[in-house]
Amino acid sequence: LLERGLTPPDLGGSFIGESPEFLGLLHLIEKVAPGDSTVLISGETGSGKERVAKLIHARSPRRTRPFVVVECAALQESLLQSELFGHERGAFTGAERAKPGLFEVASGGTIFLDEIGEVSPATQTKLLRVLDTSTFRHVGGTAEIRVDVRVLAATNRDLPSMVRQGLFRDDLFYRLCTIRIEMPPLRNRGADVELLAEHFVAVFNERFNCSKRIGREALRILRRYSWPGNVRELLHAVEAAMVVCEGGEILPEHLPAALRAPPPVMAPAAPEEKRGLPTLEELELRHI
C-alpha cells in the first residue's frame, strides 16, 4: 500500500506546449528516463522541476517502485540527515525507536532531492558517499546499509557559482549532473502561455462545474507578462480569474492587478558622443 501511494502516475498528458524549447525538453526526458543515471534538473521557481522528475520516474523501469520526494530546504541539517539516512534508537534526544531513512523507503525506486543547493557541507559529504557506493549508515549506527536507488535532484540556485565560492562540493556537483536538464522559463516559451492558460481554464471548469472561457484581450495580457513565477504563477492567475469572473468570459479586469500593469518604458539613452561620465542620478535611474 505504501509503495502504491508513493508511485506517481504518468503525468505526460499534463505537459502542455508546442514551443521548440518545450518539445526539446520532452525529447530529452524520453532519452533520459529509461536509464539509471543521476539527473540534475535546474530551473527557476515554478517552472515544473518536480513534475519532470515524476515523469522521468514514470517512464523508467522503476515506475512500479516508490518515488520519494525530499524537501531539502524545509528541514534543518540534523533533521534532514535523520530523514535521509534514518537513525538508531537513542541517537539523539527524542529518538525513542529506530527509524528507516528515506533512502531505504525509496529502495528499488527513485529519490528526488528537491532544492539540493540548500543542504549543508556535512550532508553533501554523506550524499556523495551514497552516490558513489550506494551505502550509508543510520545516524548513531555502525552497520552499512546498501540500497538500490536512482537519484534525481533539482535546484533553482546557480550551483556552478556556488562551487566556485566554496559553498557546494565540486565532486558532488559533478556526480549529480551526470545528465543535466535545464527547464525553459515560461517567458521563453512563446505561444505556450496561451495553450497552458486554456488548459487551466478547462481544468477549473471541470473542478468548479462551470463553462467559462478566456477572452482575447485577457490572453493578450497573459502573453505580454514576463511570468517570474513561471507555470505555477500562471496556474494561480487563471484560478483567481475564474473565481472573480461572474460571466462566461474572463476579461482583463478579472486578472490579478500585477498582470495588468503596463510594462516599464525605458528612457532612450543619450548618444555616446554627447555625454561624458554619467551623473550619480543618471546611474541610479538607469539601474532602477
Side-chain angles (χ1 to χ4, degrees), residues 10-25:
D10 189 320
L11 300 173
S14 65
F15 277 67
I16 308 296
E18 296 178 352
S19 64
E21 294 82 0
F22 184 74
L23 294 178
L25 170 68

Side-chain angles (χ1 to χ4, degrees), residues 15-266:
F15 277 67
I16 308 296
E18 296 178 352
S19 64
E21 294 82 0
F22 184 74
L23 294 178
L25 170 68
L26 291 182
H27 181 61
L28 181 56
I29 291 171
E30 289 299 324
K31 290 196 297 183
V32 166
D36 219 25
S37 300
T38 305
V39 180
L40 178 64
I41 307 166
S42 55
E44 298 176 5
T45 297
S47 57
K49 297 185 289 294
E50 183 174 338
R51 295 179 71 83
V52 166
K54 288 179 177 178
L55 185 59
I56 290 174
H57 174 78
R59 300 282 171 90
S60 77
R62 298 174 179 265
R63 65 179 69 90
T64 60
R65 304 294 290 170
F67 176 85
V68 176
V69 179
V70 183
E71 301 281 358
C72 297
L75 300 168
Q76 57 183 198
E77 180 184 353
S78 59
L79 188 56
L80 177 60
Q81 290 197 20
S82 173
E83 288 294 308
L84 284 172
F85 309 116
H87 61 255
E88 295 295 330
R89 180 182 178 186
F92 49 84
T93 303
E96 298 178 355
R97 58 178 180 174
K99 176 186 175 184
L102 293 178
F103 269 100
E104 290 167 88
V105 174
S107 190
T110 304
I111 192 167
F112 174 55
L113 305 175
D114 196 14
E115 299 306 341
I116 189 69
E118 307 299 327
V119 302
S120 69
T123 304
Q124 290 176 33
T125 302
K126 293 191 175 186
L127 284 173
L128 179 63
R129 184 166 184 268
V130 178
L131 287 168
D132 281 342
T133 68
S134 297
T135 62
F136 61 92
R137 298 187 186 101
H138 284 166
V139 175
T142 56
E144 293 282 346
I145 300 168
R146 180 172 293 276
V147 289
D148 171 26
V149 176
R150 185 182 193 180
V151 176
L152 309 178
T155 184
N156 61 8
R157 303 281 295 273
D158 183 353
L159 285 191
S161 176
M162 293 179 67
V163 169
R164 290 192 296 270
Q165 297 173 52
L167 300 175
F168 199 86
R169 291 184 63 117
D170 55 353
D171 45 5
L172 178 58
F173 171 70
Y174 298 133
R175 187 66 178 77
L176 284 171
C177 63
T178 303
I179 297 172
R180 189 169 182 181
I181 294 178
E182 291 276 356
M183 299 294 297
L186 185 56
R187 61 183 170 274
N188 292 347
R189 289 175 54 185
D192 286 357
V193 172
E194 185 171 334
L195 292 174
L196 283 163
E198 291 176 339
H199 169 71
F200 292 148
V201 167
V203 169
F204 289 122
N205 272 333
E206 185 174 349
R207 182 184 301 178
F208 301 150
N209 192 27
C210 58
S211 56
K212 298 178 183 180
R213 60 187 179 85
I214 188 163
R216 183 177 300 176
E217 278 302 302
L219 281 174
R220 185 181 62 81
I221 291 173
L222 295 182
R223 286 195 298 266
R224 183 187 69 189
Y225 187 61
S226 61
W227 300 109
N230 291 288
V231 179
R232 185 185 296 130
E233 184 182 9
L234 174 60
L235 170 67
H236 293 303
V238 171
E239 181 178 6
M242 292 280 290
V243 171
V244 301
C245 174
E246 295 180 345
E249 180 177 337
I250 296 173
L251 303 174
E253 56 263 34
H254 299 136
L255 297 173
L259 276 63
R260 290 182 271 119
V265 178
M266 301 298 292

